[in-house]
Amino acid sequence: MKNYNYSLLAYFVIFSFFTKCFSEAREFIVDGKENSWKIPSSPDEFNKWAEKTRFRIGDYIVLNYDPKSDSVLQVNEEDYNNCNKAQPIKSYQDGVTKILLDKSGPFFFISGANGHCENGQKLNVRVLSPKHSSSTRVEFLAPAPAPESGSSGMKAGIIVGFIVMLASFTVLA
């Protein structure tokens, strides 16, 4: 019975630890740079950045811009493709817009400034479904681009060390 209790405790601790580490919301500054919500140097710059990023439900994107000259409009796919600003789903004009990605699927954003969307200032973000999100939760084992903050590498090292330690307890018990 004693061995059973240690194993059960070890599995509970591992599950709790993984849930805590990988369920935290992350913030992504669009294009990875401050004040980047402006006409890009290439028309697909924002979408190339978004394609490299695995967004999960609960993550945030952050757009920084001059609120006197620009804004962010969340639109449907048709309005995104046509740069139509007439009926946005949501409109943001605060200069530091933090948007919760609250469901899986695509999110479409365009600039509210005249001519900006037509010159490439638009963003298509695809949020992974929980099914796909859970299969990518061990991303730290594969090579990946540098994390947005310096804590991801440290988390990975702690998790691996913790698992090895708990595995040794269950084997010795």
Side-chain angles (χ1 to χ4, degrees), residues 137-158:
R137 292 197 180 197
V138 192
E139 290 176 15
F140 63 89
L141 295 176
E148 293 295 316
S149 68
S151 66
S152 294
M154 189 169 97
K155 281 184 187 176
I158 291 170

Side-chain angles (χ1 to χ4, degrees), residues 72-110:
V72 178
L73 306 178
Q74 183 176 350
V75 295
N76 63 36
E77 185 173 8
E78 183 179 346
D79 288 345
Y80 171 86
N81 290 329
N82 297 315
C83 291
N84 182 1
K85 303 180 296 187
Q87 297 180 339
I89 297 167
K90 291 183 183 173
S91 178
Y92 305 92
Q93 301 171 348
D94 57 359
V96 180
T97 298
K98 183 176 173 180
I99 300 170
L100 172 64
L101 303 172
D102 60 352
K103 60 183 171 96
S104 63
F107 287 78
F108 300 97
F109 304 96
I110 62 174

Side-chain angles (χ1 to χ4, degrees), residues 128-147:
L128 296 171
S129 69
K131 176 182 172 185
H132 290 99
S133 187
S134 63
S135 67
T136 61
R137 292 197 180 197
V138 192
E139 290 176 15
F140 63 89
L141 295 176

Side-chain angles (χ1 to χ4, degrees), residues 6-20 162 165-166:
Y6 281 122
S7 296
L8 186 61
L9 177 63
Y11 292 126
F12 175 74
V13 170
I14 290 171
F15 176 77
S16 299
F17 192 73
F18 270 98
T19 301
K20 170 70 175 141
F162 192 70
M165 180 185 74
L166 288 176

